[in-house]
Amino acid sequence: MDETPTGELCFGRVTVRPERRHVLRDGQRVALGARALDVLLALIEHRDRVVTKDELLQLAWPGLVVEENNLQVQISALRKALGVDAIATVPARGYQFTLGQTDARP
């Protein structure tokens, strides 16, 4: 991940602080569950491509068997928190983080 010296990743109105496991939108902290944050971090890490559902399940729930609808619930929570255009669904393939990275805020 390309991070600023402060460790922040900025995507317009959204700022992600991976080391602190914080997400901010318009400067306000967004309440996200641990799994939703894991899904978000995986999507950001691989934002240059579509991430398959199986990959996301492995990354967010390592070593566990979970139903695909758990992933859909987390994606829905992320869209509500970050905006519907933050994550694209690519039918029959997976998901892709679609916000463009911007410079860090001062």
Side-chain angles (χ1 to χ4, degrees), residues 58-104:
Q58 290 290 329
L59 292 167
W61 290 271
L64 299 175
V65 176
V66 295
E67 297 292 325
E68 187 177 311
N69 68 337
N70 287 316
L71 177 59
Q72 294 166 344
V73 167
Q74 303 309 321
I75 294 291
S76 178
L78 289 169
R79 286 180 174 145
K80 285 179 186 173
L82 306 178
V84 294
D85 58 342
I87 300 169
T89 300
V90 181
R93 293 192 50 216
Y95 300 96
Q96 186 167 15
F97 186 76
T98 56
L99 298 180
Q101 190 163 358
T102 58
D103 291 336

Side-chain angles (χ1 to χ4, degrees), residues 17-71:
R17 296 176 177 156
E19 291 179 11
R20 298 183 72 192
R21 295 185 61 83
H22 291 172
V23 176
L24 297 102
R25 183 173 179 182
D26 297 328
Q28 299 296 312
R29 189 156 174 207
V30 175
L32 289 176
R35 296 290 186 202
L37 187 56
D38 290 341
V39 170
L40 177 61
L41 293 175
L43 287 169
I44 289 172
E45 174 109 19
H46 303 287
R47 64 187 175 272
D48 59 327
R49 64 180 178 85
V50 174
V51 184
T52 69
K53 294 173 186 177
D54 288 339
E55 282 181 279
L56 285 173
L57 290 169
Q58 290 290 329
L59 292 167
W61 290 271
L64 299 175
V65 176
V66 295
E67 297 292 325
E68 187 177 311
N69 68 337
N70 287 316
L71 177 59

